[in-house]
Amino acid sequence: MILSESIEDYLKAIYALKKEVGKVVTTQLAERLEVKPASVTGMVRKLADMKLVTYKPYQGVALTKAGQKVALEVIRHHRLLELYLNEIMGLPWDKVHQEAEKLEHAISEELEDRIDQLLGHPTTDPHGSPIPSKAGKVNNSSSKKLSEMKRGEKAKIAEVRDEDSELLRYVGELGLFPGKSFEVVNVAPYKGPMTLKIKSKKIIVGREAAKQILVNKISAWN
């Protein structure tokens, strides 16, 4: 079945929202995709007729197995392209998301396989997000938001949300790339900034930015 780019974008957005917030409602989809709620309702009903989602008014939207397969395939294309553009083409990590958005619907399965082989069958993209396997398997971790960390806790950066290029530039300037270990040395009250220590260097991170950074707690430095 040949699907339109719009349908693939909807399925990908539903998958992402499910991971982020749990239950997915049409108003969230409208906001994520920047379209009118009425348009979302019409498309969701169409996807339900195609057996790609299940949908009942006021009860949310969920991907079927067929819908999830499509979503993961598009996400695989996107994240492989991000890594290719970053590692092979030298594009900064804050610019690859927008370029991959344009290309993810166009590449063939053969090109996908060649990119995967060239990159050494990677498991994460430049932002730390897991790349689904060819079979549609995803290694989801039990990461938590940096903003939820407490003073004295140690962690390693797992993933940085890639939709906001300004955020990525900010985080990159701070040196908070995936794999970087740190300790929280201070959390300012009233949603103030957090102070992290990386080796002997202290870094101040805004709380809103900290919500977009996922980390894995560690008990000691690696």
Side-chain angles (χ1 to χ4, degrees), residues 3 7-8 11 52 65-75:
L3 303 176
I7 287 176
E8 290 183 345
L11 297 174
L52 295 172
K65 287 184 178 180
Q68 179 165 299
K69 180 180 179 181
V70 173
L72 288 172
E73 183 176 355
V74 178
I75 292 169

Side-chain angles (χ1 to χ4, degrees), residues 200-220:
S200 60
K201 183 180 180 181
K202 289 185 178 180
I203 297 172
I204 297 176
V205 185
R207 193 70 65 91
E208 286 303 311
K211 293 178 181 179
Q212 307 303 315
I213 301 172
L214 300 181
V215 303
N216 291 322
K217 290 180 63 176
I218 57 177
S219 57

Side-chain angles (χ1 to χ4, degrees), residues 40 65 90 131 133 168:
V40 171
K65 287 184 178 180
I131 298 174
S133 71
L168 289 169

Side-chain angles (χ1 to χ4, degrees), residues 17 34 56 130 168 177:
L17 283 168
E34 299 181 344
K56 289 184 179 180
L168 289 169
F177 296 103

Side-chain angles (χ1 to χ4, degrees), residues 2-221:
I2 299 176
L3 303 176
S4 68
E5 291 185 13
S6 179
I7 287 176
E8 290 183 345
D9 284 340
Y10 266 83
L11 297 174
K12 186 174 71 168
I14 293 168
Y15 180 88
L17 283 168
K18 173 66 176 178
K19 182 180 177 183
E20 293 171 21
V21 300
K23 182 180 178 181
V24 181
V25 296
T26 54
T27 52
Q28 293 168 326
L29 270 175
E31 182 177 352
R32 173 63 65 96
L33 296 168
E34 299 181 344
V35 296
K36 295 179 179 179
S39 298
V40 171
T41 301
M43 175 60 87
V44 166
R45 286 174 175 162
K46 177 180 178 179
L47 296 176
D49 290 339
M50 297 172 70
K51 310 299 183 185
L52 295 172
V53 305
T54 57
Y55 169 67
K56 289 184 179 180
Y58 312 109
Q59 295 185 28
V61 186
L63 295 174
T64 62
K65 287 184 178 180
Q68 179 165 299
K69 180 180 179 181
V70 173
L72 288 172
E73 183 176 355
V74 178
I75 292 169
R76 174 175 167 80
H77 287 180
H78 180 96
R79 293 177 179 172
L80 280 172
L81 283 165
E82 284 191 332
L83 193 60
Y84 177 82
L85 291 168
N86 180 245
E87 289 198 353
I88 306 300
M89 303 298 291
L91 207 63
W93 82 326
D94 58 285
K95 293 185 178 180
V96 295
H97 176 74
Q98 288 78 7
E99 295 300 327
E101 285 281 297
K102 302 171 188 175
L103 299 169
E104 64 188 21
H105 305 288
I107 68 170
S108 66
E109 297 306 301
E110 181 180 1
L111 182 55
E112 171 205 317
D113 291 341
R114 286 182 178 272
I115 291 173
D116 182 46
Q117 184 176 14
L118 176 65
L119 294 172
H121 309 292
T123 56
T124 59
D125 72 8
H127 314 106
S129 302
I131 298 174
S133 71
K134 186 76 173 177
K137 303 294 182 181
V138 186
N139 294 323
N140 290 316
S141 67
S142 55
S143 303
K144 62 187 296 184
K145 295 178 180 179
L146 171 57
S147 58
E148 298 171 354
M149 297 288 290
K150 298 178 181 179
R151 182 177 180 178
E153 291 184 324
K154 298 179 177 68
K156 179 182 290 187
I157 305 292
E159 180 179 349
V160 182
R161 303 294 189 196
D162 66 356
E163 295 89 353
D164 187 338
S165 58
E166 186 175 344
L167 168 74
L168 289 169
R169 284 193 293 273
Y170 169 69
V171 172
E173 288 170 359
L174 295 176
L176 297 176
F177 296 103
K180 187 73 71 174
S181 298
F182 65 90
E183 179 182 356
V184 179
V185 295
N186 190 51
V187 179
Y190 302 107
K191 299 181 180 180
M194 306 177 72
T195 304
L196 313 180
K197 184 172 72 173
I198 299 178
K199 296 183 179 179
S200 60
K201 183 180 180 181
K202 289 185 178 180
I203 297 172
I204 297 176
V205 185
R207 193 70 65 91
E208 286 303 311
K211 293 178 181 179
Q212 307 303 315
I213 301 172
L214 300 181
V215 303
N216 291 322
K217 290 180 63 176
I218 57 177
S219 57
W221 301 115

